[in-house]
Amino acid sequence: MKKILGVMVLFLALPAFAQAPVGNAQAGKAKTSMCEGCHGVPGYRTAYPHVYRVPKIDGQQPVYIVNALQAYKSGARSHPTMQAIAQGQSDQDMADLAAFYSTLNQ
């Protein structure tokens, strides 16, 4: 009984991991308006906060897109425009956008 109780206590002490939402590409397509202004323009460069080439996200792996958006939202990645956009995104929004962009060819 001691072993069983110990295992139960250990199991109950483990943190509950939330499952990431499954992305819906059709829903993601309807959420791209904030993305297309920069990421949808071939060869686009931005001048704020400095000049750099805006990466294409078509065909990118969903996990990469979600991780990047979460990093902007948390402040781990620092680009003012992307941080502001990511702040307005829910986990489901991020998953949907990632699902949509992963279906496109680069």
Side-chain angles (χ1 to χ4, degrees):
M1 183 70 172
K2 275 185 165 179
K3 280 188 177 182
I4 292 173
L5 240 124
V7 171
M8 286 177 57
V9 169
L10 177 61
F11 178 74
L12 293 173
L14 292 174
F17 292 102
Q19 187 171 352
V22 175
N24 178 314
Q26 283 302 102
K29 184 176 183 178
K31 300 175 182 181
T32 62
S33 62
M34 293 296 290
C35 310
E36 290 301 306
C38 296
H39 293 284
V41 180
Y44 183 68
R45 295 185 188 284
T46 186
Y48 182 79
H50 52 75
V51 176
Y52 71 97
R53 185 184 69 77
V54 174
K56 294 295 286 178
I57 54 178
D58 294 0
Q60 191 61 261
Q61 293 294 317
V63 69
Y64 174 81
I65 293 173
V66 169
N67 286 341
L69 287 169
Q70 288 175 342
Y72 284 119
K73 188 172 187 171
S74 73
R77 280 186 151 185
S78 61
H79 186 276
T81 303
M82 285 302 302
Q83 285 176 331
I85 291 169
Q87 287 298 319
Q89 302 295 314
S90 68
D91 289 345
Q92 187 64 60
D93 292 333
M94 292 177 189
D96 292 345
L97 286 165
F100 172 71
Y101 279 106
S102 71
T103 66
L104 303 178
N105 293 328
Q106 281 193 3

